[in-house]
Amino acid sequence: MTRHDRLGRGITFSPSNVKGMRIEDYALIGDMQSAALVARDGSIDWLCLPRFDSPSCFAALLGNERNGHWWLGPQGRRPATRRRYRPDTLILESEWDTPTGTVRVIDFMPPRDRNPDVVRIVEGVAGSVEMSTQLRVRFDYGRIVPWVRRDNGHLQAVGGPDSVWLHSTVPLKGGDYAHRATFTVNEGDRLPFVFTWHPSHEPMPPRIDSETQLAETEAMWAEWVARCTYSGPYREAVVRSLITLKGLTYSPTGAIVAAPTTSLPEDLGGVRNWDYRFCWLRDATMTLDALISSGYLEEAADWRSWLLRAIAGRPQDLQIMYGVAGERRLPELQLDWLDGYEDSRPVRIGNEAVRQLQLDVYGEVMNCLYVSRTRGLAPDDRAWSIQRQLLDYVEEHWDEPDEGLWEVRGPRRHFVHSKVMCWAALDRAVKYVEGFGRTGPVERWRRLRDVIHAEICDKGFDPRRNTFTQSYGSSELDAALLLIPMVGFLPADDPRVVGTVAAIEKELMADGFVLRYPVAADNEVDGLPGGEGAFLACSFWLVEVMAMQGRKDEARDLFERLLGLRNDVGLLAEEYDPRYGRLVGNFPQAFSHVPLIHAARALS
């Protein structure tokens, strides 16, 4: 199939991946330490164990079924007739109507005690249905074919440091490096399958009771959702987004991953494929802001503790991202044995952007910690001491060029958004002293805050076009400029903000959605070939700014269009590509669900 990008260049790609599944055909299950993606046809095509950033044991999402998957569904392999999450949970229910009856598969990962489990319960709803399952375990991102043995009717697969068990009353038979079974489910039957990982040098872990775990998992989610303080007209969308964000939290440390996947393309068939299974300080602070505003202060305390451990040391050593336990080395590698989603290569693990200078992160961290304190988070002397060190770094380096919010891989620039967030770091420091009695050189911070503000308005604003620009001296726009009123740099009704919003609506909109910045052959800002879709966070930012400007009807119309891009279970990827009418990028993406929550609150 051939399409054309905005430059008129022909693009040829298959309409979906090797199994016919689009990104939006997947649903998320997880245990707040790792996560799996379950396709609409009942196949788990992505699962990393024991952590979000561990090597996968199912990688069909980025290759083919021989790279590992676990399919479970009616014979004939068809998409589910319908599926949903159980209300206020991360428990997925997929149902198939067949000529002989109806069957339901319940998929979930119970919050773990020690070992991670994936539970799949096949339930006969009506009549009688012939079912099939196929299991291919492939460790190390689809590369290692394990040794498989049977023990008292149960399967164990071992490869290097990894071992998994499949416990089921349904016997599976091996052949062609896979295990399969066919069986019949009658109305009222409930047949559990339990998939458990453990280190290969340890003995088989205790088996869990699937029904007990189902009940406890449902109760845990219901209890957590009950703490939500949002009660506006978009509660269903907000709660689903909050659950998704909680599902992306690594509970042992409090870290929050940007997404549970790697290398789902921003440009189908292109090279914009990145590993998002790490904790970006920016993404995490925005996520916490959304959680805090919805009544979840405990998560902020956990993340602050993680942050203090992760960034301990010299402020100049601060990284923009860390591993979920605070790891600093995240080397970027390419996995050449995987074909990539829809031939989008290379497939990458790790992220070279860890080395980048992104000055806006300092403002995000200061703002998040300030908001947390205003919402009741207890004071912490060590936290303030580290914040003081971060501010020292901002004072010394705010006037340097950086790679900016979008992690460009082109030359460093004086990005306006980065400067605005340096201003925000100092602004929140001043407010800390004024509001919480902290000590610090507040007069010096005030003076520098004013200096930065004046420079941005001078060098980052184009008076001829009445708009702020992407960087000093640039004529390009950037959707991150929509954050200017949200962080308090200027009011939403300031003529310069009004002009910037108008310019973005005129120049960065594609089919009614907002692009991050112009991607064209003559714009080398990001140093990468190819195009990309509309970054969903940017469109939600526009909703919020419209609401701040009193344009509630326009904001509501755009917001409801954005809600319509969610898949059937309420999930969003990083981008939406209007060229193909599809979600693209890593999935589900915290950076999309966070501004959804803020936009809903702005409209409420």
Side-chain angles (χ1 to χ4, degrees):
M1 181 181 297
T2 301
R3 301 282 179 89
H4 293 84
D5 69 9
R6 298 181 189 87
L7 300 177
R9 297 173 299 197
I11 300 176
T12 302
F13 67 95
S14 58
S16 55
N17 69 359
V18 69
K19 295 168 57 279
M21 291 292 129
R22 302 166 300 171
I23 290 172
E24 54 263 49
D25 287 324
Y26 288 92
L28 176 79
I29 60 173
D31 63 359
M32 290 162 290
Q33 295 191 44
S34 186
L37 292 190
V38 185
R40 193 185 293 268
D41 68 350
S43 181
I44 298 178
D45 291 339
W46 181 253
L47 175 62
C48 299
L49 294 173
R51 304 190 337 177
F52 290 108
D53 55 354
S54 297
S56 67
C57 56
F58 300 140
L61 181 70
L62 299 179
N64 58 56
E65 291 181 350
R66 292 191 174 274
N67 298 122
H69 79 123
W70 180 13
W71 170 64
L72 178 61
Q75 289 192 36
R77 190 109 184 225
R78 70 201 75 167
T81 308
R82 58 194 161 272
R83 60 182 182 168
R84 64 161 195 162
Y85 285 113
R86 286 194 176 183
D88 295 345
T89 75
L90 205 56
I91 300 169
L92 180 68
E93 294 185 339
S94 305
E95 292 184 356
W96 287 262
D97 295 332
T98 76
T100 60
T102 298
V103 65
R104 177 184 299 129
V105 175
I106 303 167
D107 289 317
F108 68 100
M109 294 177 68
R112 71 181 76 166
D113 179 20
R114 180 179 179 186
N115 299 102
D117 300 287
V118 177
V119 180
R120 317 192 75 179
I121 299 174
V122 181
E123 178 183 6
V125 177
S128 177
V129 180
E130 293 298 313
M131 298 287 289
S132 295
T133 188
Q134 178 172 274
L135 175 70
R136 276 195 175 96
V137 178
R138 296 292 185 269
F139 297 121
D140 193 26
Y141 301 104
R143 192 173 192 181
I144 295 177
V145 179
W147 172 70
V148 181
R149 70 183 182 96
R150 196 179 304 276
D151 186 344
N152 292 325
H154 306 289
L155 293 180
Q156 182 193 26
V158 177
D162 300 292
S163 175
V164 295
W165 288 84
L166 180 65
H167 302 291
S168 173
T169 57
V170 176
L172 277 69
K173 296 182 179 180
D176 191 28
Y177 298 101
H179 282 76
R180 303 175 180 84
T182 59
F183 55 99
T184 302
V185 177
N186 299 307
E187 182 176 343
D189 289 347
R190 290 177 71 89
L191 300 177
F193 295 77
V194 179
F195 182 91
T196 304
W197 178 95
H198 68 100
S200 59
H201 64 276
E202 294 183 357
M204 181 179 72
R207 292 174 54 186
I208 64 170
D209 180 82
S210 58
E211 297 293 348
T212 298
Q213 291 298 318
L214 176 61
E216 292 181 356
T217 301
E218 187 167 17
M220 181 278 296
W221 280 112
E223 179 182 356
W224 188 81
V225 169
R227 294 162 48 197
C228 176
T229 58
Y230 176 82
S231 58
Y234 300 106
R235 181 173 171 81
E236 178 275 328
V238 168
V239 167
R240 178 49 51 197
S241 292
L242 288 168
I243 291 172
T244 303
L245 297 177
K246 181 65 171 176
L248 298 179
T249 301
Y250 185 68
S251 59
T253 65
I256 302 169
V257 297
T261 55
T262 180
S263 298
L264 288 180
E266 298 171 12
D267 184 25
L268 294 172
V271 301
R272 297 171 183 263
N273 318 313
W274 315 110
D275 193 347
Y276 277 14
R277 298 169 301 153
F278 309 113
C279 184
W280 270 255
L281 297 189
R282 176 191 309 107
D283 297 45
T285 57
M286 291 182 173
T287 298
L288 284 170
D289 196 14
L291 289 168
I292 293 166
S293 69
S294 302
Y296 295 98
L297 194 61
E298 180 181 331
E299 283 72 11
D302 291 342
W303 183 81
R304 185 176 69 179
S305 296
W306 172 86
L307 175 71
L308 298 181
R309 296 190 301 270
I311 69 174
R314 301 181 304 167
Q316 60 265 38
D317 295 331
L318 179 78
Q319 298 183 178
I320 64 165
M321 74 179 86
Y322 297 86
V324 293
E327 296 88 351
R328 299 192 178 200
R329 291 198 181 107
L330 308 174
E332 186 174 299
L333 305 173
Q334 297 183 7
L335 308 185
D336 57 9
W337 62 87
L338 291 173
D339 291 335
Y341 181 90
E342 292 193 10
D343 296 323
S344 302
R345 291 188 289 269
V347 172
R348 295 180 173 95
I349 59 171
N351 200 308
E352 194 66 27
V354 71
R355 298 183 178 184
Q356 290 190 352
L357 173 65
Q358 297 177 18
L359 291 169
D360 68 292
V361 167
Y362 295 86
E364 299 290 0
V365 170
M366 287 296 297
N367 181 68
C368 178
L369 294 175
Y370 172 72
V371 170
S372 301
R373 287 287 288 114
T374 63
R375 297 299 177 96
L377 186 65
D380 186 295
D381 291 341
R382 188 163 66 100
W384 179 244
S385 176
I386 290 179
Q387 287 171 263
R388 288 279 306 270
Q389 294 182 54
L390 297 181
L391 290 164
D392 290 343
Y393 187 81
V394 171
E395 289 185 83
E396 294 176 10
H397 298 277
W398 72 269
D399 57 351
E400 296 178 5
D402 71 341
E403 278 89 2
L405 167 74
W406 303 124
E407 298 180 358
V408 299
R409 299 205 172 191
R412 287 182 175 179
R413 288 171 167 80
H414 290 282
F415 287 104
V416 170
H417 173 260
S418 295
K419 307 300 185 188
V420 168
M421 294 312 297
C422 288
W423 171 90
L426 293 160
D427 180 71
R428 295 341 181 237
V430 171
K431 287 179 167 61
Y432 250 102
V433 174
E434 295 173 341
F436 302 118
R438 289 294 183 179
T439 59
V442 66
E443 290 302 324
R444 191 175 78 212
W445 291 338
R446 286 195 184 103
R447 288 193 298 271
L448 182 56
R449 179 183 63 176
D450 293 343
V451 167
I452 296 174
H453 196 285
E455 180 180 292
I456 294 169
C457 293
D458 177 37
K459 296 183 178 180
F461 184 76
D462 183 346
R464 182 180 61 83
R465 296 163 62 206
N466 191 34
T467 181
F468 285 97
T469 58
Q470 184 178 55
S471 60
Y472 290 176
S474 168
S475 62
E476 304 292 352
L477 296 178
D478 190 322
L481 301 171
L482 293 168
L483 295 170
I484 285 175
M486 296 185 206
V487 301
F489 183 82
L490 288 173
D493 59 358
D494 185 284
R496 291 163 292 184
V497 173
V498 173
T500 300
V501 174
I504 288 172
E505 290 182 82
K506 179 181 178 181
E507 299 182 31
L508 286 186
M509 299 285 280
D511 291 349
F513 302 106
V514 183
L515 305 174
R516 293 190 295 177
Y517 48 79
V519 177
D522 58 351
N523 179 24
E524 300 178 351
V525 65
D526 63 11
L528 296 167
E532 65 177 16
F535 205 81
L536 291 172
C538 302
S539 296
F540 283 116
W541 293 341
L542 180 57
V543 170
E544 191 169 354
V545 173
M546 284 177 169
M548 295 171 70
Q549 293 178 336
R551 301 163 59 190
K552 286 290 185 74
D553 290 341
E554 294 175 83
R556 189 170 290 105
D557 288 345
L558 177 54
F559 184 70
E560 292 179 357
R561 285 191 67 202
L562 288 164
L563 291 186
L565 301 182
R566 299 180 302 156
N567 73 355
D568 57 314
V569 290
L571 302 180
L572 288 169
E574 182 179 28
E575 300 179 8
Y576 172 77
D577 198 325
R579 296 176 294 179
Y580 316 127
R582 293 180 52 186
L583 294 177
V584 292
N586 282 305
F587 175 85
Q589 172 67 240
F591 211 50
S592 298
H593 286 277
V594 165
L596 182 157
I597 295 168
H598 288 309
R601 297 185 71 88
L603 290 172
S604 300

